[in-house]
Amino acid sequence: MIKLRAVLFDVFGTLVDVHSVAKRADELFPGQGQRLSQLWRDKQLEYTRVRAMAARYVPFTELTEDALMFAAESLKLNLDGAARGLLMHEYTQLAAFGDVVPTLDALQARGVTLGVLSNGDPGLLEDVLHHARIGEYFDLVLSADAVHSYKVSPAVYELGPRSLKHPAGEILFVSSNSWDAAGAAWYGYVSFWVNRNGAPMDRLGVKVASGASLADAVAYYNRKSN
């Protein structure tokens, strides 16, 4: 049985709620906050994929602002410079999910090496983890910016084994994005999908372990490590 030696987490949507921006968006554009937040996120992910495929990298913060402007234009919202600045700042203040700290406490108590592996650029990750008050839990913060690409590029997932000096098969990767969990499994990680919304798994020809919360990921880690 392979012993797990570390846990890497995705950040956006897994540790912090990307849709916590909807409240501020609704203050700026009454009745449109949820729609703007969802379209913003959808376009952000689309841009990561298009840019990764075309090898046209820009930092995640820039890409996120581009996605915001597209979403506002699509909804015919008057996103002036002040509103854009407020929403981009809000993206550095994303709320942590309620199960995050108990999960990190439980793993840290076991002496597990913890890290994040994210599309976010280093400055954004620093701000987000600091605001969520979880940055101190992590032994390493790995950014796709290091390889100028985005998930699900193998070069991004390679950052984990390269930094930890362990093969991917000895690292648990945890994400609430099923396509990300699949990408990690393709690369060779032991992968866990946090399926908070009871969604079907993306049909990508790979099966990964899953559960409804990060607590289920801890239970899975414990089973694989005993």
Side-chain angles (χ1 to χ4, degrees):
M1 181 176 179
I2 296 175
K3 180 178 176 59
L4 293 175
R5 299 182 180 276
V7 180
L8 293 179
F9 292 89
D10 172 58
V11 175
F12 297 100
T14 301
L15 299 179
V16 295
D17 182 3
V18 295
H19 296 300
S20 62
V21 298
K23 180 179 179 181
R24 177 55 63 89
D26 212 55
E27 293 171 356
L28 294 168
F29 307 108
Q32 297 289 335
Q34 280 298 139
R35 291 180 68 198
L36 179 60
S37 177
Q38 188 61 59
L39 184 54
W40 184 5
R41 174 62 169 172
D42 291 345
K43 187 56 64 169
Q44 178 196 57
L45 292 176
E46 180 184 336
Y47 284 171
T48 64
R49 293 161 183 161
V50 171
R51 286 190 171 278
M53 286 188 294
R56 296 285 183 175
Y57 179 81
V58 297
F60 191 69
T61 298
E62 180 180 339
L63 179 151
T64 298
E65 187 167 4
D66 287 341
L68 170 61
M69 289 190 288
F70 175 90
E73 289 171 6
S74 295
L75 297 174
K76 297 180 170 52
L77 303 177
N78 181 24
L79 185 73
D80 59 20
R84 186 169 74 246
L86 283 170
L87 287 173
M88 286 301 296
H89 176 71
E90 198 70 22
Y91 214 86
T92 71
Q93 311 290 298
L94 299 174
F97 289 104
D99 55 358
V100 171
V101 169
T103 292
L104 298 176
D105 281 338
L107 291 170
Q108 192 175 67
R110 289 200 57 168
V112 181
T113 299
L114 301 176
V116 300
L117 175 56
S118 173
N119 277 338
D121 47 84
L124 178 60
L125 288 175
E126 181 179 0
D127 288 344
V128 167
L129 296 176
H130 174 75
H131 179 264
R133 299 183 180 180
I134 55 175
E136 67 273 12
Y137 285 98
F138 299 111
D139 301 292
L140 68 169
V141 175
L142 303 176
S143 167
D145 184 73
V147 293
H148 282 199
S149 190
Y150 289 111
K151 300 173 185 175
V152 293
S153 168
V156 177
Y157 295 112
E158 184 183 5
L159 291 170
R162 194 170 78 194
S163 300
L164 288 164
K165 311 301 182 188
H166 298 303
E170 295 179 2
I171 304 167
L172 177 64
F173 181 82
V174 180
S175 179
S176 67
N177 303 294
S178 64
W179 54 267
D180 189 18
W186 283 337
Y187 184 80
Y189 286 91
V190 178
S191 188
F192 189 92
W193 175 35
V194 181
N195 184 8
R196 290 194 171 95
N197 300 317
M201 179 68 187
D202 282 314
R203 301 184 68 84
L204 293 170
V206 62
K207 291 184 178 181
V208 300
S210 66
S213 71
L214 287 172
D216 293 323
V218 174
Y220 180 73
Y221 175 89
N222 290 337
R223 288 197 302 274
K224 296 289 288 186
S225 298
N226 289 334

